[in-house]
Amino acid sequence: MLGQMQDWPLLVSKFLTHAETNHPKREIFSMLPEGGEFSYDNERMAKRARQCAQALGRHGVALGDRVGTLAWNTHRHVEIWFGASGMGAVTHTINPRLFPEQLIYIINHAEDKVLFLDVTFVPLIEKIADHLTTIEKYIVMVGKDHMPETSLPNAVAYEEFIGAEDGEYTWPAFDENTACALCYTSGTTGNPKGVLYSHRSNFLHTLVALAGDTLGVTAKSVILPVVPMFHANAWGIPYAAAGSGAKLVLNGPHHEPDVLHRLMMEHGITVTAAVPTVWLGMLKYLEATGKDTGKMEIVTIGGSAAPRSMIQTFQDKYGVRVNHAWGMTETSPLGSLGSENAAIQDLSDEEKLDVQCKQGRSVLGVEMVIKDDEGKILPRDGETSGRVMVRGPWVIGSYFKHAGGEILDEDNWFDTGDVACIDEHGYMQITDRAKDVIKSGGEWISSIDLENAAVSHDAILEAAVIGLPHPKWDERPLLLVILEEGKSVTFEEMNAFLTTKVAKWWLPNDMVVVEDIPHTATGKISKKDLRDRFKDYSFPDA
Ligand code: ADP
C-alpha cells in the first residue's frame, strides 16, 4: 500500500522560492573579485537567478547540460548555482587551484556547454581555451564596465547576459533524481573523477545540515562560508542559508585573516565553516592584534583534522563552539559531526575535548561502519581500526560517466579510504588514511603523481612521497629518493624540474636521499612504514 501524501519533488529551486517568499528582505553580502562589495536581498537574488535561468535557456542550455563555474564565493556565483540547477541543467563547480592540464581534462570530460568565470581567471582560461572542446560561450562574472578585452570566443559580461531577461520565469518541475551539480575530486592518482549530485541528494543533505546538532544555522544566523563553493557545494551552506533565512556573507577571493575578521565584525557573523588552515591564520591574527571574535557562536572545522589546541582556543578563549566535521566530496560532504550527545555532556572539559578531537558521529542519513580487509564489520569499541565505509542517500553511487567502474561493495558500502575506529557512543576517530594522498590547506596533492614526476628525472632510481604534519598546512609532501648510481640532484634542482610538471603548491617541502624504500607484499611502496620511519622528522619551514 502506498502512502497518500503529495508528490512534491525535492528540487533545489524550492530553497530559493522559500527564501524569496518567507525571508524576502534577508540580506546577502558579497565581496567582488573585480574589487568592491555588493549587497542585496533574497528577493533580488531569486529574481536574478531566474534571469540567469532564462538567459541560459535562450542560449541553448537544456535539461542535463553542464554549466561550468570557475569562481570564488560571490552573489553572482550563488545566482548561477540556483539558476542553472533550478532550470534542470547541472552546475559544475570547478576548482581554480588545479593545474591547467587538470582544468582542461575536467571541463572536457564534463562537456561543459558554457563557462561562467570570475574576471581574475580570464588570463588562465585564455591560455587553455583552444583545448576546451565543448564550451560554446564564456560569461565573465562582471558588469560591462569591468569587462576586459579578451580573446575568449563568444565572451559576454554576466550583467549583460542576464540583463536582457525579465525574470518572469517559473521554475520547472522534474524528477527529484535529476542531476543537479557536479564536482570533481582530485583525490587519488590519474584523472579526477566527477561526483554528480542529484536534486534529491542535495535537498536531503540540506535538511540535515539545518538540524539542531549539525551546522547550527537558524533564521537568525549570519553565516560566512569561507569554504569555497567549488569544494563539495561549500558544505551545503548556500542552500542552508536560503532554506533557513540566514543572512549569507560571501568573502569573494579574500581569505586573508584581516579581511575575514572585518567581515565577522561588520556583519556580526554567528556561524562559519572552513578548513583548519584558515582558522590557524585567524587565531594567529587574533592573538597578534588582541581582537576578539565578535558575535561568533559556532565554527565548523573539517576537511582535515582540527587540532586540539585550535578547538580549545576557540572555545575557552573566545567562547566559540567548535563543530568538528568529517566528510568528502563523495558524501556531499556531511558524513559525521562532533556535537555533544547525552553520553558525554557530563564529562570534564578535558574529556570533552578528547571527544571533540574525534571526527564525530554519523548524521542521520549516513550509515557508517568500519570494516577489516576481508570486509568484516568491526566492533565499535574505540580501539579497533578499520576502513570507514558509508552509505546513504547523499553518498556517491558511481562516478560521473562511471569512471572507476563499480565503486560500492556487495552491500552498497562506499569505501572512503579513511581508516578509523568508532567508540561506543558512535564517535569516529580517523587513525590513518589508506588513500595515497596528501591534504594541504584543504586541497589534495596526489603523492603518486608527484612520485611519477620525480622518477622521470634521470638522477632518480625510485621515489616515494609521504605526507607529514605541517603546522600551517596540516600536511605537506616529503620526497624520498634513491639516486641512480653515480648521479646526484639537489632539492632545489629537483623542485625546478618538478615545477614544469605539477602545480607550484604541490612541490615537496623537502627531499631526503635514502638507501632503500620499503614495499608491501603486493609490491606497493609501504607508506605506512615510511611514515613510521619519518615520524620524528620536521620540515625545515615548520
Ligand atoms: P572536502 O572538499 O570536504 O575537503 P574531500 O573529498 O576533498 O572533501 O576530502 C575528503 C577527505 O578529507 C576525507 O576522506 C578525509 O581523508 C579528509 N577529512 C575530511 N574531514 C576530516 C577531518 N575532520 N579530520 C581528518 N580528515 C578529514
Side-chain angles (χ1 to χ4, degrees), residues 178-243:
T178 303
C180 171
L182 177 63
C183 187
Y184 279 73
T185 161
S186 45
T188 46
T189 184
N191 289 324
K193 294 200 270 301
V195 180
L196 189 61
Y197 308 106
S198 67
H199 282 261
R200 175 185 154 81
S201 72
N202 278 348
F203 199 104
L204 293 173
H205 180 267
T206 304
L207 293 185
V208 167
L210 288 171
D213 258 354
T214 319
L215 296 180
V217 181
T218 70
K220 288 189 290 187
S221 300
V222 181
I223 182 158
L224 170 69
V226 184
V227 52
M229 289 163 71
F230 52 78
H231 264 191
N233 291 326
W235 303 353
I237 290 170
Y239 294 138

Side-chain angles (χ1 to χ4, degrees), residues 8 22 55 84 94 140 203 224 297 320 360 462 499 523:
W8 190 85
N22 299 295
I94 306 164
V140 183
F203 199 104
L224 170 69
E297 292 165 10
V320 177
E462 192 174 1
T499 308

Side-chain angles (χ1 to χ4, degrees), residues 183-187 195 197 227-228 230-235 275-276 301-306 323-334 336 357-360 414 416-419 428-430 432-435 437 439 442-444:
C183 187
Y184 279 73
T185 161
S186 45
V195 180
Y197 308 106
V227 52
F230 52 78
H231 264 191
N233 291 326
W235 303 353
V275 295
I301 308 180
S304 289
N323 260 335
H324 187 186
W326 169 91
M328 320 172 66
T329 304
E330 286 89 335
T331 65
S332 296
L334 275 179
S336 64
C357 288
K358 300 184 180 187
Q359 277 70 16
F414 170 70
T416 64
D418 288 318
V419 176
M428 181 266 282
Q429 180 171 23
I430 295 190
D432 198 6
R433 204 184 272 151
K435 51 193 165 194
V437 284
K439 204 156 198 193
E443 300 281 1
W444 290 116

Side-chain angles (χ1 to χ4, degrees), residues 49 167 256:
E256 313 85 321

Side-chain angles (χ1 to χ4, degrees), residues 244-513:
S244 63
K247 170 175 167 178
L248 190 59
V249 177
L250 301 162
N251 54 309
H254 299 285
H255 293 85
E256 313 85 321
D258 57 328
V259 179
L260 296 180
H261 187 264
R262 182 169 66 75
L263 292 179
M264 267 160 62
M265 291 299 147
E266 286 180 0
H267 297 273
I269 304 292
T270 60
V271 179
T272 173
V275 295
T277 302
V278 168
W279 302 125
L280 204 78
M282 177 60 75
L283 289 178
K284 269 198 185 144
Y285 173 82
L286 295 175
E287 186 69 39
T289 56
K291 294 180 175 168
D292 65 22
T293 51
K295 293 187 176 160
M296 188 117 97
E297 292 165 10
I298 301 177
V299 53
T300 297
I301 308 180
S304 289
R308 188 185 181 90
S309 59
M310 180 178 289
I311 301 175
Q312 192 167 23
T313 309
F314 263 124
Q315 294 183 159
D316 295 354
K317 190 159 178 195
Y318 299 108
V320 177
R321 198 176 93 213
V322 171
N323 260 335
H324 187 186
W326 169 91
M328 320 172 66
T329 304
E330 286 89 335
T331 65
S332 296
L334 275 179
S336 64
L337 203 129
S339 51
E340 271 179 31
N341 68 7
I344 68 160
Q345 67 181 356
D346 297 326
L347 296 179
S348 70
D349 287 350
E350 281 301 307
E351 288 167 324
K352 278 187 187 173
L353 256 184
D354 292 341
V355 176
Q356 283 191 294
C357 288
K358 300 184 180 187
Q359 277 70 16
R361 297 177 282 117
S362 295
V363 295
L364 173 67
V366 175
E367 288 184 84
M368 182 186 285
V369 291
I370 46 170
K371 289 192 178 186
D372 66 13
D373 286 341
E374 276 72 56
K376 194 172 101 241
I377 294 181
L378 297 167
R380 292 185 162 211
D381 59 9
E383 281 174 13
T384 314
S385 272
R387 300 176 84 95
V388 179
M389 314 284 284
V390 290
R391 61 186 186 192
W394 56 85
V395 174
I396 190 165
S398 57
Y399 288 102
F400 186 46
K401 297 185 177 171
H402 287 273
E406 293 302 315
I407 54 168
L408 306 184
D409 74 6
E410 62 281 10
D411 297 316
N412 283 335
W413 293 104
F414 170 70
D415 187 342
T416 64
D418 288 318
V419 176
C421 55
I422 303 180
D423 70 21
E424 56 180 328
H425 304 303
Y427 290 87
M428 181 266 282
Q429 180 171 23
I430 295 190
T431 54
D432 198 6
R433 204 184 272 151
K435 51 193 165 194
D436 205 358
V437 284
I438 296 158
K439 204 156 198 193
S440 167
E443 300 281 1
W444 290 116
I445 296 174
S446 161
S447 49
I448 300 176
D449 285 355
L450 259 185
E451 284 159 9
N452 289 340
V455 288
S456 66
H457 189 286
D458 67 0
I460 302 299
L461 180 66
E462 192 174 1
V465 173
I466 52 172
L468 290 178
H470 187 280
K472 178 161 183 210
W473 300 107
D474 301 318
E475 278 186 333
R476 287 297 302 164
L478 173 68
L479 172 63
L480 309 168
V481 293
I482 304 178
L483 293 176
E484 290 276 8
E485 226 176 283
K487 298 218 166 133
S488 69
V489 58
T490 64
F491 172 52
E492 288 71 27
E493 286 163 352
M494 181 48 105
N495 270 0
F497 174 76
L498 291 175
T499 308
T500 58
K501 303 184 177 298
V502 299
K504 211 163 147 230
W505 57 272
W506 278 36
L507 294 179
N509 285 40
D510 199 7
M511 179 179 93
V512 178
V513 177

